[in-house]
Amino acid sequence: MAADGPSAGLTPRDAARLEHLRDPAVRDLAWLLFSPDLLRAQPPAGMLAEPFESADEAAATLDWLVAEDARPDALHQHIAAAHVTRLGRYAECLLAWSLQHGPAARLVAANVALRRNGLTLGECDFLVQTQTSRRLHWELAVKCYLHAGESRAQLADYVGPNLQDRFDVKLRRLLDHQLPLSARAEFASLGHPGPWDAQMLIKGWLFYRDGGTPAEPAEIDPNHARGWWTTRADWPAFAAARGAAWAVLPRLQWLSRRRRSGDASAAGLFDIPALSAQLAQHIGPTMVAAFAADDKNGGWRETSRGFVVPDAWPALALAFARE
């Protein structure tokens, strides 16, 4: 899965096995488990979740994913029953399936709400128990942020495409509110006695203007999955250097790199002028991806992804980053 793919430690053969997964949901699950984190650990409160306690667990999970890829119907039914429309909920659905059916950590409870005097104080995403009986509280987030700054190396410069979210605000809420929930006195009354070690599982993509490489803040893992963003005015020339076959990626296709089958028309691919016409109908930022023919495996494979934003967006994003 290339730069958005397996964590360090997998052999080239294992990485190739992940890349050869065909089912989109199974590929997304593999991406969720094996892709690099967006953040480094932020001790003492912001420790990173490790989906596997050992190389053997990682290898067993890979074998399990290959088996899931051959028979994905049960996973598809699990996703359909959840009626997911949000990317975060889709990721939760995938992780829950792994914790319920995979060979590594096991699910104790999910979406555990903490209340006091009838008011909801927060919700713990996952309580899990590892094969060595460690009891962990995992907070999961999948984020796509665009770097809106110029030369500053600050987390505030990473903003959501719709300018309703900012990476520094998200991290602060994780550290100050979400991760401490399982240590609160009220949590002991919910029937999940601890102590629980709170950890964060923060996955996603960071996007840089025209594919540049600005200085990055210390909080960010340098191995994170990365893409680009550009304006609508600049996109046709920018796209011409990256491929001839393009598609809009709906929100639930924002995790792993995509594969498409059939000829270009059946695969939903367009040339640059045709996709430019589509983008002209969009109001806000749109994620798009370039595809190349996969001569080895057939069909098409994604080679590049990014956001095409309205021409006024960069100034608005920079102002939002500086608020």
Side-chain angles (χ1 to χ4, degrees):
M1 294 187 183
D4 62 313
S7 302
L10 281 180
T11 67
R13 177 178 178 274
D14 288 342
R17 292 179 73 197
L18 282 177
E19 183 60 31
H20 289 154
L21 296 172
R22 305 295 296 184
D23 182 78
V26 176
R27 285 179 61 82
D28 286 343
L29 176 52
W31 177 92
L32 194 63
L33 295 174
F34 286 98
S35 66
D37 294 287
L38 286 187
L39 293 170
R40 301 177 191 263
Q42 309 293 312
M47 302 308 293
L48 298 181
E50 293 287 348
F52 316 113
E53 287 192 305
S54 67
D56 287 344
E57 275 192 12
T61 299
L62 178 53
D63 289 340
W64 174 70
L65 287 167
V66 171
E68 290 286 297
D69 195 50
R71 298 181 298 277
D73 288 352
L75 173 57
H76 294 173
Q77 292 166 8
H78 169 73
I79 296 168
H83 303 290
V84 296
T85 57
R86 295 183 297 108
L87 187 66
R89 180 67 185 116
Y90 175 53
E92 289 179 4
C93 198
L94 292 172
L95 184 58
W97 183 259
S98 175
L99 293 169
Q100 290 169 324
H101 301 283
R106 308 300 292 175
L107 180 66
V108 175
N111 305 121
V112 180
L114 181 61
R115 298 182 176 88
R116 182 174 61 192
N117 299 327
L119 297 176
T120 299
L121 303 177
E123 190 174 88
C124 296
D125 287 346
F126 293 96
L127 301 179
V128 306
Q129 182 165 318
T130 71
Q131 298 294 332
T132 60
S133 298
R134 294 181 64 202
R135 297 169 72 79
L136 307 176
H137 160 205
W138 283 355
E139 286 295 318
L140 171 67
V142 174
K143 310 301 292 186
C144 288
Y145 288 119
L146 286 67
H147 181 267
E150 295 167 339
S151 60
R152 303 188 314 168
Q154 296 188 21
L155 211 57
D157 288 335
Y158 293 82
V159 302
N162 293 324
L163 303 183
Q164 297 177 344
D165 187 13
R166 217 170 66 184
F167 209 172
D168 63 320
V169 176
K170 176 61 178 178
L171 178 58
R172 188 160 59 245
R173 179 165 177 78
L174 273 167
L175 298 179
D176 295 345
H177 178 72
Q178 292 173 250
L179 290 169
L181 285 173
S182 57
R184 295 183 62 135
E186 299 93 337
F187 197 80
S189 66
L190 298 180
H192 303 296
W196 298 92
D197 289 335
Q199 301 175 338
M200 56 184 185
L201 190 63
I202 313 300
K203 302 286 185 168
W205 293 75
L206 302 181
F207 298 84
Y208 298 89
R209 184 160 194 173
D210 298 329
T213 54
E216 295 170 357
E219 296 95 332
I220 288 180
D221 186 324
N223 296 313
H224 66 271
R226 60 181 69 221
W228 45 264
W229 66 267
T230 193
T231 63
R232 288 183 188 157
D234 292 340
W235 185 74
F238 180 86
R242 283 162 176 78
W246 291 83
V248 171
L249 294 186
R251 188 172 293 269
L252 295 187
Q253 295 182 18
W254 286 8
L255 300 187
S256 65
R257 290 195 185 274
R258 314 317 294 177
R259 288 183 176 275
R260 300 279 177 97
S261 58
D263 60 20
S265 177
L269 302 180
F270 300 87
D271 62 16
I272 293 171
L275 195 62
S276 295
Q278 287 191 40
L279 293 172
Q281 307 303 314
H282 291 214
I283 297 174
T286 304
M287 189 189 286
V288 301
F291 288 80
D294 189 345
D295 296 331
K296 184 175 181 181
N297 299 297
W300 303 81
R301 58 181 178 83
E302 179 189 327
T303 58
S304 177
R305 69 166 56 181
F307 279 92
V308 181
V309 305
D311 294 337
W313 187 92
L316 297 173
L318 184 59
F320 182 66
R322 303 280 169 99
E323 286 182 355

Coordinates of all heavy atoms in Angstrom, one line a residue, residues 7-45:
S7 N 3.1 -0.6 8.2 CA 4.0 0.0 9.2 C 5.4 -0.7 9.0 O 5.5 -1.7 8.4 CB 3.5 -0.3 10.6 OG 2.3 0.2 10.8
A8 N 6.4 0.0 9.5 CA 7.7 -0.5 9.5 C 7.7 -1.9 10.2 O 7.0 -2.1 11.2 CB 8.7 0.4 10.1
G9 N 8.5 -2.8 9.7 CA 8.6 -4.1 10.4 C 8.0 -5.2 9.5 O 8.4 -6.4 9.7
L10 N 7.1 -4.9 8.6 CA 6.6 -5.9 7.7 C 7.7 -6.2 6.6 O 8.3 -5.3 6.2 CB 5.3 -5.4 7.0 CG 4.0 -5.5 7.8 CD1 2.9 -5.0 7.0 CD2 3.8 -7.0 8.3
T11 N 7.8 -7.5 6.3 CA 8.7 -7.8 5.2 C 8.2 -7.4 3.9 O 6.9 -7.1 3.7 CB 8.9 -9.3 5.2 OG1 7.7 -10.0 4.8 CG2 9.3 -9.9 6.5
P12 N 9.0 -7.2 2.9 CA 8.5 -6.9 1.5 C 7.4 -7.9 1.0 O 6.4 -7.4 0.4 CB 9.7 -6.9 0.6 CG 10.9 -6.6 1.6 CD 10.5 -7.2 2.9
R13 N 7.6 -9.1 1.4 CA 6.6 -10.1 0.9 C 5.2 -9.8 1.6 O 4.2 -9.9 1.0 CB 7.0 -11.5 1.3 CG 6.0 -12.6 0.9 CD 6.5 -14.0 1.3 NE 5.5 -15.0 1.0 CZ 4.6 -15.4 1.8 NH1 4.5 -14.8 3.0 NH2 3.7 -16.3 1.5
D14 N 5.3 -9.5 2.9 CA 4.0 -9.2 3.6 C 3.4 -7.9 3.1 O 2.2 -7.8 3.0 CB 4.3 -9.1 5.1 CG 4.5 -10.4 5.8 OD1 4.2 -11.5 5.2 OD2 5.1 -10.4 6.9
A15 N 4.2 -6.9 2.8 CA 3.7 -5.7 2.2 C 3.0 -5.9 0.9 O 2.0 -5.4 0.6 CB 4.8 -4.7 2.1
A16 N 3.6 -6.8 0.1 CA 3.0 -7.2 -1.2 C 1.7 -7.9 -1.0 O 0.7 -7.7 -1.8 CB 4.0 -8.1 -2.0
R17 N 1.6 -8.7 0.0 CA 0.3 -9.4 0.3 C -0.8 -8.4 0.6 O -1.9 -8.6 0.2 CB 0.5 -10.4 1.4 CG 1.4 -11.6 1.1 CD 1.5 -12.6 2.3 NE 0.3 -13.3 2.5 CZ 0.0 -13.9 3.6 NH1 0.8 -13.9 4.6 NH2 -1.1 -14.6 3.7
L18 N -0.4 -7.4 1.4 CA -1.4 -6.4 1.7 C -1.8 -5.6 0.4 O -3.0 -5.3 0.2 CB -0.8 -5.4 2.7 CG -0.8 -5.8 4.2 CD1 -0.1 -4.7 5.0 CD2 -2.2 -6.0 4.7
E19 N -0.9 -5.3 -0.4 CA -1.1 -4.6 -1.7 C -2.1 -5.4 -2.6 O -2.8 -4.8 -3.3 CB 0.2 -4.2 -2.4 CG 0.0 -3.4 -3.6 CD -0.7 -2.1 -3.4 OE1 -0.5 -1.5 -2.3 OE2 -1.4 -1.6 -4.3
H20 N -2.0 -6.7 -2.5 CA -2.8 -7.5 -3.4 C -4.2 -7.8 -2.9 O -5.0 -8.5 -3.6 CB -2.1 -8.9 -3.7 CG -0.8 -8.7 -4.5 ND1 0.2 -9.6 -4.4 CD2 -0.5 -7.8 -5.4 CE1 1.2 -9.2 -5.3 NE2 0.8 -8.1 -5.9
L21 N -4.6 -7.3 -1.7 CA -5.9 -7.4 -1.3 C -6.8 -6.7 -2.3 O -6.5 -5.6 -2.7 CB -6.1 -6.8 0.1 CG -5.3 -7.5 1.2 CD1 -5.4 -6.7 2.5 CD2 -5.8 -8.9 1.5
R22 N -8.0 -7.3 -2.6 CA -8.8 -6.8 -3.7 C -10.1 -6.1 -3.2 O -10.6 -5.1 -3.7 CB -9.2 -7.9 -4.6 CG -8.1 -8.7 -5.2 CD -7.2 -7.9 -6.1 NE -7.9 -7.4 -7.3 CZ -7.3 -6.7 -8.3 NH1 -6.0 -6.4 -8.2 NH2 -8.0 -6.3 -9.3
D23 N -10.7 -6.6 -2.1 CA -12.0 -6.1 -1.6 C -11.8 -4.7 -1.0 O -10.9 -4.6 -0.1 CB -12.6 -7.1 -0.6 CG -14.0 -6.6 -0.2 OD1 -14.9 -6.7 -0.9 OD2 -14.0 -6.0 0.9
P24 N -12.5 -3.7 -1.4 CA -12.3 -2.4 -0.8 C -12.4 -2.3 0.7 O -11.6 -1.6 1.3 CB -13.4 -1.5 -1.5 CG -13.7 -2.3 -2.8 CD -13.6 -3.7 -2.5
A25 N -13.4 -3.0 1.3 CA -13.6 -2.9 2.7 C -12.4 -3.6 3.4 O -11.9 -3.1 4.5 CB -14.9 -3.5 3.1
V26 N -11.9 -4.7 2.9 CA -10.8 -5.4 3.5 C -9.5 -4.6 3.3 O -8.7 -4.5 4.3 CB -10.6 -6.8 2.9 CG1 -9.4 -7.5 3.4 CG2 -11.9 -7.7 3.1
R27 N -9.4 -3.9 2.2 CA -8.2 -3.0 2.0 C -8.3 -1.9 3.0 O -7.3 -1.5 3.6 CB -8.2 -2.5 0.6 CG -7.7 -3.5 -0.4 CD -7.7 -2.9 -1.9 NE -6.8 -1.8 -2.0 CZ -5.5 -1.9 -2.2 NH1 -4.9 -3.0 -2.3 NH2 -4.8 -0.7 -2.3
D28 N -9.5 -1.3 3.2 CA -9.6 -0.2 4.2 C -9.3 -0.7 5.6 O -8.6 0.0 6.4 CB -11.0 0.3 4.2 CG -11.3 1.2 2.9 OD1 -10.3 1.6 2.3 OD2 -12.5 1.4 2.6
L29 N -9.7 -1.9 6.0 CA -9.4 -2.4 7.3 C -7.9 -2.7 7.4 O -7.3 -2.3 8.5 CB -10.2 -3.8 7.5 CG -9.9 -4.5 8.8 CD1 -10.0 -3.6 10.0 CD2 -10.8 -5.7 8.9
A30 N -7.3 -3.2 6.4 CA -5.8 -3.4 6.4 C -5.1 -2.1 6.6 O -4.1 -1.9 7.3 CB -5.3 -4.1 5.1
W31 N -5.6 -1.1 5.9 CA -5.0 0.3 6.0 C -5.1 0.8 7.4 O -4.2 1.4 8.0 CB -5.7 1.2 5.0 CG -5.2 2.6 5.0 CD1 -4.2 3.2 4.3 CD2 -5.8 3.7 5.9 NE1 -4.1 4.6 4.6 CE2 -5.0 4.9 5.6 CE3 -6.8 3.7 6.8 CZ2 -5.3 6.1 6.2 CZ3 -7.1 4.9 7.5 CH2 -6.3 6.1 7.1
L32 N -6.3 0.6 8.0 CA -6.5 1.1 9.4 C -5.5 0.4 10.4 O -5.1 1.1 11.3 CB -8.0 0.8 9.8 CG -8.5 1.5 11.0 CD1 -8.6 3.0 10.8 CD2 -9.9 1.0 11.3
L33 N -5.2 -0.8 10.2 CA -4.4 -1.6 11.1 C -2.9 -1.3 10.8 O -2.1 -1.3 11.8 CB -4.7 -3.0 11.0 CG -6.1 -3.5 11.5 CD1 -6.3 -4.9 11.2 CD2 -6.4 -3.1 12.9
F34 N -2.5 -1.2 9.6 CA -1.1 -1.2 9.2 C -0.5 0.1 8.8 O 0.7 0.2 8.7 CB -0.8 -2.3 8.2 CG -0.9 -3.7 8.6 CD1 -2.0 -4.4 8.5 CD2 0.2 -4.3 9.3 CE1 -2.1 -5.8 8.9 CE2 0.2 -5.6 9.7 CZ -1.0 -6.3 9.6
S35 N -1.3 1.1 8.5 CA -0.8 2.4 8.0 C -0.1 3.2 9.1 O -0.4 3.0 10.3 CB -1.9 3.2 7.3 OG -2.8 3.6 8.3
P36 N 0.8 4.1 8.7 CA 1.5 4.9 9.7 C 0.5 5.8 10.5 O -0.5 6.2 9.9 CB 2.5 5.7 8.9 CG 2.6 5.0 7.6 CD 1.3 4.3 7.4
D37 N 0.8 6.1 11.7 CA 0.0 7.1 12.5 C 0.3 8.5 11.9 O 1.3 8.7 11.3 CB 0.5 7.0 14.0 CG 0.1 5.7 14.6 OD1 -1.1 5.5 14.9 OD2 1.0 4.9 14.9
L38 N -0.7 9.3 12.2 CA -0.5 10.7 11.8 C 0.4 11.4 12.9 O 1.1 12.4 12.5 CB -1.8 11.5 11.7 CG -2.7 11.2 10.5 CD1 -3.9 12.2 10.5 CD2 -1.9 11.4 9.2
L39 N 0.4 11.0 14.1 CA 1.1 11.7 15.2 C 2.2 10.8 15.8 O 2.1 9.6 15.8 CB 0.1 12.1 16.3 CG -0.9 13.1 15.9 CD1 -2.0 13.2 17.0 CD2 -0.3 14.5 15.7
R40 N 3.2 11.4 16.4 CA 4.1 10.8 17.3 C 3.4 10.7 18.6 O 2.4 11.3 18.9 CB 5.4 11.6 17.5 CG 6.2 11.8 16.2 CD 7.3 12.7 16.6 NE 8.1 13.3 15.5 CZ 9.2 12.7 15.0 NH1 9.7 11.6 15.5 NH2 9.8 13.3 14.0
A41 N 3.9 9.8 19.5 CA 3.4 9.8 20.9 C 3.5 11.1 21.6 O 4.5 11.9 21.3 CB 4.1 8.7 21.7
Q42 N 2.6 11.5 22.4 CA 2.6 12.7 23.1 C 2.5 12.4 24.6 O 1.5 12.6 25.3 CB 1.3 13.6 22.7 CG 1.1 13.8 21.2 CD 2.2 14.6 20.6 OE1 2.6 15.7 21.1 NE2 2.8 14.1 19.5
P43 N 3.6 11.9 25.2 CA 3.6 11.5 26.6 C 3.4 12.8 27.5 O 3.8 13.9 27.1 CB 5.0 10.8 26.8 CG 5.8 11.4 25.7 CD 4.9 11.7 24.5
P44 N 2.9 12.6 28.7 CA 2.5 11.3 29.3 C 1.1 10.8 28.9 O 0.8 9.6 28.9 CB 2.6 11.5 30.8 CG 2.2 12.9 30.9 CD 2.8 13.6 29.7
A45 N 0.2 11.7 28.5 CA -1.2 11.3 28.3 C -1.4 10.7 26.9 O -2.2 9.8 26.7 CB -2.1 12.6 28.4

